[in-house]
């Protein structure tokens, strides 16, 4: 039985003072660059020339912060705070300043008048800090710019952190996003025995930028039904009278904490129920006015409690009345009661903050690199496919990788810091070996037909790329490791999440106190060239382009030509830090080219001449046949073999690129080959026929500064496709062996006399191919059974 807390008058007074102080500092950050304590009457000279920031959500965030602090102190909680409406950045900066972590992190922002002036001035100021909750904000693992990801991040942080409670403020506007709407399902994947807890707090302040929010206008009954349908027990805190809301919120927080603890205690008992029941986790709906305590109205129009308070409620100071209104607003918090004459937060209020790393701005989970332990890694060579001669063995790259990942999983079960994420595709992507080591996490109902579902599983399968990405990001940001495997075409669903994470990493690289975290690893398979059951909708290699847009110090792109290269790449990526590693590899049975030592050497350099496939004998070739990606590599090698038949004296060099960034100049990317090495591979003046896994334009973009760029002829995917044979896919996109061989003959000047004959032969080959697949429904035997000679 929960006893209702009533805040004592003294505690209520102090908590209210903290809230006023946080609100004061938030308004100060948005508006002022001087006169921080309002020691002089406010004038235009004290007000920033550009007013940037968001007030509307901020008082709610500030209210929650002081109340969560009370909970942490009274129960010695290990808690972090994720802020969905992170545009309320000034609130988080204000609270971490009040609790002391901001000044410990940035000593220049001291607890005195001058420190407060700098605090105000730096906000949204050139060379200062961003307007949103950002990597610079102590205690944050969640950039508050793009809305939608807070709850997924919160669950990612809670997985395998049994002692942690993640409070997660969700904007009611944010709740309209697809990502957030899916995130409510996360509670079916959280095991109260081994994971921490998430406390969702829906901030129902009613409005977005210019509109009401859906959840604020469906009535309490439907909202309750919706949230219960998602498996939560909503607790409503509603009001606009601060004192009443303080009491209600304190009581509610105590009640929800008691429920969380009861769920965990039952699940962690010495004889826990089996199978564990799916708990109905509590959550809070905080319904308070948007822009609470701000101007009630401006120029005759209502502001507090409306969308007009979203950003900067008073935005124009061309009339004295507005300056007076801002001054009245700021003085309504009675700053002299809150700060002493030097600008220091008064001790009787400051003591409300938790102590040391219990402060949310100092919790190490929010600086995950500080907690990161490396994975125990097996030797990837032990999983190698034996390749006695190039092309002499068949193998399924991702299945081979699956065995390696299963061993990584096994070795790290004890440290509980490695998970695999995927949208229902782990088996389809042939990584199924992992499931033999650990189940697939699942706390909802289980039927007799289900396999490998378990409350303890470490494979996270949910048909939401948003959730896979968000959970993994939250998991990584709190100091753990993982990999996300996905169909290549549908990874685009999280393009924007990738963008945000890459931006986060870029900024963290410039913040010394942010410790390096494990890289975000993507394995894209079921790729454009290998669609068995699926067709055109599943054919899109464009994520490579999205990744290539990002800063060179953050992104890496690897195209595995075979299974052994994939092993070497995966080993490297799982050991790396602070990157986004994009790995692309096929899952279909395919010829294997390199033994494991050759693969490791090849992947270390990133690109190389395959001497065994070349016949230029170290001299100048007639043509360079280059390739990146497993299917383009196969077609290039087959084209090379054809060329040698067609033109016995042709000198061919085969170059394979595994690390796409090797193509860029070294000045652009640390993996870039230096110009001499590039020229030694691609020559300065010989034609290059380049078969690329993705869209051709990217190869040109990466190499346009290279000497031989004018001679570089790239073929890639050009949006032709359907449900057809594997070889027909490459034919449809003109990246097939017959086409590549023809290209080579066309590009080599001394072979000009052969072009007509070669063109005729090409046409015949394609006609034969089309007729055969149309008749037999599978590829020509000469294609299916082709082997490197
Ligand atoms: C994905 C995304 N779409 C649009 C925006 C632009 N935007 C910024 S704040 C906001 C309204 C947010 O409303 P809510 O989540 O309720 O936050 P609050 O009202 O507490 O400010 C919008 C649409 C955004 N930041 N992210």
């Amino acid at each position: 039985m929960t006893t209702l807390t009533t805040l004592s008058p003294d505690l209520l007074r102090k908590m209210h003072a903290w809230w006023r102080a946080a609100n004061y500092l938030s308004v100060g950050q948005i508006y002022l660059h001087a006169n921080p304590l309002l020691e002089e009457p406010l004038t235009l000279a004290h007000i920033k020339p550009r007013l940037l920031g968001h007030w509307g959500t901020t008082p709610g965030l500030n209210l929650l912060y002081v109340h969560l602090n009370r909970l942490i102190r009274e129960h010695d909680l290990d808690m972090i705070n994720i802020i969905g409406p992170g545009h309320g950045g000034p609130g988080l900066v204000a609270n971490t300043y009040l609790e002391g972590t901001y000044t410990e992190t940035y000593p220049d922002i001291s607890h005195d008048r001058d420190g407060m002036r700098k605090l105000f001035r730096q906000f949204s100021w050139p060379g200062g800090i961003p307007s949103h909750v950002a990597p610079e904000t102590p205690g944050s693992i969640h950039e508050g710019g793009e809305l939608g990801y807070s709850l997924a991040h919160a669950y990612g942080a809670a997985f395998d952190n049994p002692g942690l409670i993640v409070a997660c403020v969700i904007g009611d506007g944010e709740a309209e996003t697809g990502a957030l709407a899916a995130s409510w399902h996360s509670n079916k994947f959280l095991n109260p025995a081994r994971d921490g807890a998430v406390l969702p707090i829906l901030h129902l302040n009613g409005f977005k930028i210019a509109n009401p929010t859906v959840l604020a206008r469906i009535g309490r009954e439907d909202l309750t039904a919706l949230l219960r349908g998602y498996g939560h027990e909503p607790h409503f805190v509603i009001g606009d009278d601060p004192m009443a809301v303080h009491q209600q919120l304190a009581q509610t927080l105590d009640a929800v904490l008691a429920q969380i603890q009861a769920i965990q205690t039952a699940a962690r008992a010495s004889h826990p129920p089996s199978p564990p029941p799916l708990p109905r986790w509590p959550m809070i709906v905080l319904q308070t006015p948007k822009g609470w305590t701000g101007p009630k109205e401006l120029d005759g129009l209502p502001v507090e409690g409306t969308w007009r308070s979203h950003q900067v409620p008073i935005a124009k100071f061309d009339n004295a009345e507005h300056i007076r209104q801002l001054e009245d607003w700021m003085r309504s918090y009675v700053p002299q009661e809150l700060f002493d004459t030097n600008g220091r937060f008064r001790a009787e209020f400051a003591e409300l903050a938790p102590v040391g790393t219990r402060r949310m701005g100092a919790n190490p989970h929010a600086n995950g690199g500080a907690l990161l332990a490396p994975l125990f890694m097996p030797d990837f060579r032990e999983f190698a496919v034996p390749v006695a001669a190039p092309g002499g063995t068949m193998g399924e790259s991702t299945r081979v990788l699956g065995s390696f990942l299963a061993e990584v999983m096994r070795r790290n079960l004890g440290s509980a810091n490695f998970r695999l994420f995927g949208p229902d595709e782990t088996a389809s992507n042939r990584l199924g070996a992992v499931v033999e080591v650990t189940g697939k996490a699942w706390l909802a109902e289980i039927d007799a037909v289900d396999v490998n579902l378990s409350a303890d599983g470490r494979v996270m399968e949910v048909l939401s790329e948003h959730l896979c990405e968000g959970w993994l990001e939250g998991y990584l940001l709190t100091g753990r490791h993982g990999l996300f495997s996905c169909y290549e075409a549908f990874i685009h669903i999280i393009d924007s999440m990738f963008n945000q994470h890459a931006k986060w990493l870029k900024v963290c690289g410039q913040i010394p106190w942010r410790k390096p975290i494990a890289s975000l690893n993507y394995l894209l398979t079921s790729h454009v060239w290998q669609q068995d059951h699926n067709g055109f909708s599943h054919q899109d290699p464009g994520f490579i382009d999205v990744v290539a847009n990002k800063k060179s110090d953050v992104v890496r792109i690897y195209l595995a030509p075979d299974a052994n290269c994939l092993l070497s790449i995966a080993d490297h990526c799982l050991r790396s830090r602070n990157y986004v590693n994009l790995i692309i590899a096929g899952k279909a049975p395919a010829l294997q080219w390199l033994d494991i030592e050759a693969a490791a050497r090849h992947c270390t350099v990133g690109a190389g001449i395959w001497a065994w496939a070349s016949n230029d004998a170290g001299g100048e070739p007639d043509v360079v046949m280059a390739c990146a990606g497993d299917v383009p590599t196969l077609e290039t090698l087959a084209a090379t073999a054809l060329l040698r038949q067609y033109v016995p004296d042709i000198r061919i060099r085969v170059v394979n690129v595994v690390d796409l960034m090797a193509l860029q100049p070294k000045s652009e990317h640390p993996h870039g080959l230096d110009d001499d090495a590039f020229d030694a591979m691609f020559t300065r003046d010989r034609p290059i026929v380049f078969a690329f896994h993705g869209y051709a334009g990217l190869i040109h973009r990466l190499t346009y500064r290279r000497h031989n760029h004018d001679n570089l002829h790239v073929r890639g995917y050009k949006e032709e496709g359907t449900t057809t044979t594997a070889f027909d896919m490459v034919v449809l996109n003109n990246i097939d062996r017959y086409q590549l061989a023809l290209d080579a003959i066309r590009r080599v000047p001394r072979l000009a006399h052969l072009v007509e004959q070669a063109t005729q032969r090409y046409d015949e080959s394609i006609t034969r191919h089309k007729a055969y697949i149309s008749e037999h429904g599978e590829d020509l035997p000469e294609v299916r059974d082709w082997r490197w000679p």
Side-chain angles (χ1 to χ4, degrees), residues 54 56-58 84-85 87 132 144-149 170-175 177 203 205-209 213 290 310-311:
H54 299 81
T57 194
T58 302
H87 41 279
H132 293 66
E146 188 169 300
L147 298 167
Y149 314 140
I170 300 155
D172 49 353
E174 182 191 16
T177 64
H203 190 194
N205 61 16
F207 296 94
K208 305 185 287 264
I209 298 177
T213 62
K290 187 154 180 165
H310 180 71
Q311 286 173 339

Side-chain angles (χ1 to χ4, degrees), residues 1 35 49 60 88 101 112 116 126 142 207 260 316 327 341 416-417 444 527 567 593 603 666 689 700 761 786:
M1 192 64 196
N35 192 19
T101 51
D112 51 26
M116 194 188 292
H142 178 82
F207 296 94
I260 287 171
K316 289 209 176 88
E327 183 166 0
T341 48
N417 62 351
H527 61 53
L567 285 172
W593 309 114
C603 295
K666 213 165 184 51
V689 174
H700 287 296
R761 191 169 42 214
W786 181 84

Side-chain angles (χ1 to χ4, degrees), residues 303-324:
V303 176
E304 186 192 39
T306 80
W307 49 270
R308 288 195 188 84
S309 67
H310 180 71
Q311 286 173 339
V312 179
I314 309 172
K316 289 209 176 88
F317 289 95
D318 47 5
N319 76 48
E321 174 60 13
H322 285 185
I323 299 178
R324 195 193 56 74

Side-chain angles (χ1 to χ4, degrees), residues 287-420:
Q287 189 177 338
T288 50
K290 187 154 180 165
W292 200 11
T293 72
K296 296 246 175 295
E297 54 178 55
L298 186 76
D299 300 331
L301 295 170
V303 176
E304 186 192 39
T306 80
W307 49 270
R308 288 195 188 84
S309 67
H310 180 71
Q311 286 173 339
V312 179
I314 309 172
K316 289 209 176 88
F317 289 95
D318 47 5
N319 76 48
E321 174 60 13
H322 285 185
I323 299 178
R324 195 193 56 74
Q325 262 187 292
L326 173 60
E327 183 166 0
D328 286 352
W329 175 14
M330 292 195 71
R331 289 196 191 282
S332 73
Y333 300 117
V334 202
Q336 63 278 18
E337 272 180 28
L338 308 170
F339 304 96
D340 67 18
T341 48
N342 292 322
R344 190 175 186 84
F345 193 36
R346 291 185 190 277
E348 62 166 336
F349 309 132
E351 72 186 20
L352 292 186
V355 177
T357 54
R358 288 303 197 216
R359 292 170 300 173
M360 290 189 283
N363 191 307
H365 292 289
N367 185 11
L371 300 174
L372 183 67
L375 289 170
F376 296 106
M377 296 287 287
D379 181 357
F380 67 92
R381 291 172 177 80
E382 287 170 14
F383 300 84
V385 179
V387 180
T393 324
M394 295 293 280
E396 293 161 281
S397 291
T398 56
R399 198 181 295 283
V400 173
L401 178 71
S403 305
F404 172 66
L405 291 175
E407 185 57 23
V408 175
M409 184 65 83
R410 184 176 293 114
R411 289 190 183 213
N412 293 281
L413 284 176
S415 15
N417 62 351
F418 180 60
R419 292 197 188 207
L420 220 59

